[in-house]
Amino acid sequence: MKMNKDKDFILQLQAGQCVSCGICAESCAYGAIRMGDFPEVDEENCRLCGGCVQACPVGAWVMQRQDERQEQPVDDSNGIWVWAEVMDGALAPVSRELLGKAVALAACRPQPVEAVLIGGEVSAWADELIAAGADRVHVVESPLLSDFVEENYTEVLAGLVRKQHPSILLIGATPCGRGLSARLAAVLHTGLTADCTELEMDTDSGLLRQIRPAFGGNLMATIVNPVCRPQMASVRPGVMKARQKDTSRRREIVYHAYEAGRTDSRVRVLETVAEEVGGTSLNDSSIIIGIGRGVKTRRCADEIRKWAERIGATVAGSRAAVEAGLVDASVQVGQTGHTIAPDLYIAIGISGQIQHTAAITGARCVIAVNPDRTAPIFNVADYGWAIPVEEALPQFMNILNRCV
């Protein structure tokens, strides 16, 4: 149990006003307030619901607003940090991608690029991160951190940020990264721009321009955080490009001790269940064929799958194709689906609204097939073919037959 001795805890008792009436303890639905000479709050059980603040007849309990709390000084911050995610014994590819982007940002306004490794046995990945562009790697290794628990990882990362004062913190928008980034931003009282598709550095102000689709994907918003530090952004896997590895780089590795008492006792991982997913992952596919509303029949979609199988491609789809039942939601490409970066993307019957095109900017080559010559997909395609899908598919098959 951790009673509230922490001055940084959001809920604070103004002892000079308290009359020890005990009404707050009686009103707490979670049993988080204990009465002694004065009431004390159990921080582990407190849900910050504000019930005690409303119940107190003399206004002794206060919930501090964000602007009343001490923020990290902007002028004191320096460095671009990347959380290096290690799951199932492997370094997430998005970690290398973010390091590559961090190096590019640091070139615009010189500052160190640093990575943070947290887990049970993760130190072996430190050299890999240095080869990917990190100037310094912070390692927090403990058996207590073997299982990913948001509360524990947030405690570790927040502690490092408060000590080191990075200016920018980048996190991959993976299933684990999404929750961690949101919780961390709340703990550090800073902003978070989620699912960014581009990051830029303002060389004059040092502000990170965080760019992402907004208003349902109908426009691209550029967001900056001039007040709080670190400037936080999460980025979907596959959007950024990883740097070529340089195994000759030698940089600093800093090890930090983890205190067992900091583990959140309320949360334990009881079991991890691995689920097998058939087919090839979109992140591992060099050729992806995307189908959209223009593929009007299931028969046509099946023909595209046969063609894709013959050329070693993976079939994905737009949201319209998912809603029509032509592809599964697990292979949806777009703002509400996957972001991809294959060597070749063939968009068949896809109009190319910004919700979709924002997710294919990493593709090296885009071929678009659509009967509408004014379709937006042709604005981002390297090659376009204005022809109905039903007429294009037999010609694709004929070309394939001549090549094999």
Side-chain angles (χ1 to χ4, degrees), residues 1 37 48 64 117 153 157 199 209 236 255 345 391:
M1 180 186 301
D37 293 336
L48 298 174
Q64 292 179 303
L117 276 169
Y153 276 53
L157 199 45
L199 300 172
R209 293 173 178 164
R236 287 189 183 187
Y255 293 88
Y345 180 63
E391 296 180 23

Side-chain angles (χ1 to χ4, degrees), residues 109-126:
R109 189 179 174 95
Q111 53 190 309
V113 173
E114 307 184 24
V116 182
L117 276 169
I118 304 171
E121 296 179 358
V122 293
S123 57
W125 295 104

Side-chain angles (χ1 to χ4, degrees), residues 346-363:
I346 305 174
I348 300 179
I350 293 175
S351 63
Q353 299 301 319
I354 191 172
Q355 295 95 324
H356 188 82
T357 57
I360 64 172
T361 54

Side-chain angles (χ1 to χ4, degrees), residues 167-215:
S167 177
I168 296 170
L169 175 58
L170 306 178
I171 294 179
T174 61
C176 293
R178 290 178 188 274
L180 177 65
S181 58
R183 185 179 294 271
L184 188 62
V187 168
L188 294 174
H189 313 295
T190 188
L192 169 68
T193 304
D195 286 345
C196 291
T197 57
E198 184 56 82
L199 300 172
E200 298 175 352
M201 179 70 74
D202 187 314
T203 55
D204 295 328
S205 65
L207 293 177
L208 179 66
R209 293 173 178 164
Q210 305 156 61
I211 303 170
R212 57 152 296 159
F215 292 101

Side-chain angles (χ1 to χ4, degrees), residues 91 96 99 123-134 137 245 247:
L91 183 66
R96 299 186 184 91
L99 279 172
S123 57
W125 295 104
D127 289 334
E128 180 87 4
L129 295 172
I130 290 173
V137 179
K245 291 183 183 179
T247 55

